[in-house]
Amino acid sequence: MTTRVQCRCGEVEIELTGEPLVQFYCHCDDRQAVHGAAYAPESVYPSDAVTVVRGGPKAWTLKRNPRFFCGQCGTRLFIDVLALGVRGLNGYLLPDGQFRAAFHMQCQFAVRPVSDELPHFKSRPARFGGSDELVEW
Ligand SMILES: [Zn+2]
Ligand SMILES: [Zn+2]
């Protein structure tokens, strides 16, 4: 199964192969700064399952992982998490109904807590190198 997504202006098109490994909302402080948002949705795939099929996204690096965006319209596209061999796609690029978050993470940094039925991890879930500790929202 493949899915194609685009930036807002259509300059960059990306093909996704298969299902995401995980989808979540991240509230970390890095994300707040680079997205200018309280939190952001991420849909994670094996790196080779996310292929740029049109256009040439621009990259910048905040700390160690390159982040890619459209040089024309500025849409945030994906981050390469090099240590894990995964690409985290901006979840809002997906067609309606295909972003279904399993949890919130990095809630210790939250500036705008969200009350919903999902787990709210203080850092990351244990299976992603965290502690499984939850916050009370
Ligand atoms: Zn664009
Ligand atoms: Zn984050």
Side-chain angles (χ1 to χ4, degrees):
M1 186 198 85
T2 62
T3 303
R4 291 209 169 187
V5 300
Q6 298 187 345
C7 66
R8 269 297 188 248
C9 77
E11 172 86 6
V12 178
E13 187 172 18
I14 297 168
E15 185 171 89
L16 310 168
T17 305
E19 296 292 323
L21 299 169
V22 64
Q23 296 181 320
F24 55 80
Y25 291 107
C26 183
H27 295 250
C28 77
D29 52 350
D30 286 346
R31 195 170 300 250
Q32 289 165 6
V34 300
H35 286 267
Y39 58 92
E42 190 162 317
S43 185
V44 179
Y45 305 81
S47 290
D48 61 5
V50 180
T51 308
V52 176
V53 292
R54 189 178 67 243
K58 303 277 188 280
W60 92 99
T61 299
L62 175 67
K63 287 177 179 165
R64 54 189 170 277
N65 294 316
R67 298 164 187 263
F68 295 84
F69 67 101
C70 173
Q72 298 294 319
C73 70
T75 301
R76 292 339 190 224
L77 299 168
F78 55 83
I79 179 172
D80 274 337
V81 184
L82 300 173
L84 300 178
V86 298
R87 279 190 161 169
L89 183 83
N90 172 358
Y92 288 162
L93 299 179
L94 291 169
D96 283 352
Q98 290 193 29
F99 181 74
R100 294 180 294 269
F103 54 83
H104 294 258
M105 72 173 203
Q106 298 292 15
C107 296
Q108 61 187 316
F109 297 107
V111 295
R112 189 65 180 165
V114 177
S115 288
D116 59 21
E117 72 289 354
L118 301 174
H120 298 86
F121 293 102
K122 184 177 179 184
S123 63
R124 299 166 184 274
R127 63 190 163 114
F128 300 115
S131 67
D132 274 351
E133 188 179 347
L134 301 175
V135 297
E136 292 298 327
W137 286 359

